[in-house]
Amino acid sequence: MATHYSRPQFQRHFRRDEAHIPFTIDGTAYSGRRGDTVLVAIMSVTGQLRRSEFTSEPRAGFCLIGACQDCFVTLACGTRVRACTTPLEAHMAFTTRESGNE
């Protein structure tokens, strides 16, 4: 059910000259910028952060300050991280195909 998204939700207006940080979603390579959180990096290249584990509806985070649990994403190793407060690191690999997070 995982699909890649037609257009990004975030449009970068600042920090466009920062160093690129490579990451992947379901094996597809993308690039964020130095200083991005995981949420900013993913939403800058996709139309959703993840799919709800309850309804499979697209989600984009809710509070964006680390108080709720709506922005959890899954790393390829199986670890879940809070996207809005986790800094993007080079070569992070995210998956949307793990059961319970589709």
Side-chain angles (χ1 to χ4, degrees):
M1 179 177 285
T3 58
H4 288 280
Y5 324 100
S6 60
R7 60 184 183 164
Q9 290 292 316
F10 288 2
Q11 299 295 315
R12 187 176 301 280
H13 293 284
F14 301 101
R15 295 184 22 256
R16 289 189 232 183
D17 57 347
E18 292 291 342
H20 289 269
I21 304 292
F23 69 97
T24 63
I25 302 172
D26 296 328
T28 301
Y30 294 100
S31 180
R33 298 291 184 153
R34 186 173 58 100
D36 281 355
T37 63
V38 168
L39 183 135
V40 168
I42 292 174
M43 295 299 290
S44 292
V45 298
T46 68
Q48 66 186 26
L49 185 60
R50 64 178 186 87
R51 293 184 99 53
S52 168
E53 59 272 21
F54 304 109
T55 64
S56 294
E57 294 293 318
R59 302 300 300 168
F62 181 71
C63 74
L64 307 182
I65 60 170
C68 73
Q69 298 180 25
D70 200 49
C71 72
F72 275 109
V73 294
T74 304
L75 295 170
C77 67
T79 302
R80 290 179 49 186
V81 296
R82 194 178 302 262
C84 71
T85 58
T86 302
L88 181 67
E89 296 178 14
H91 309 293
M92 285 181 129
F94 302 96
T95 183
T96 63
R97 297 182 181 142
E98 186 173 330
S99 66
N101 194 30
E102 295 185 81

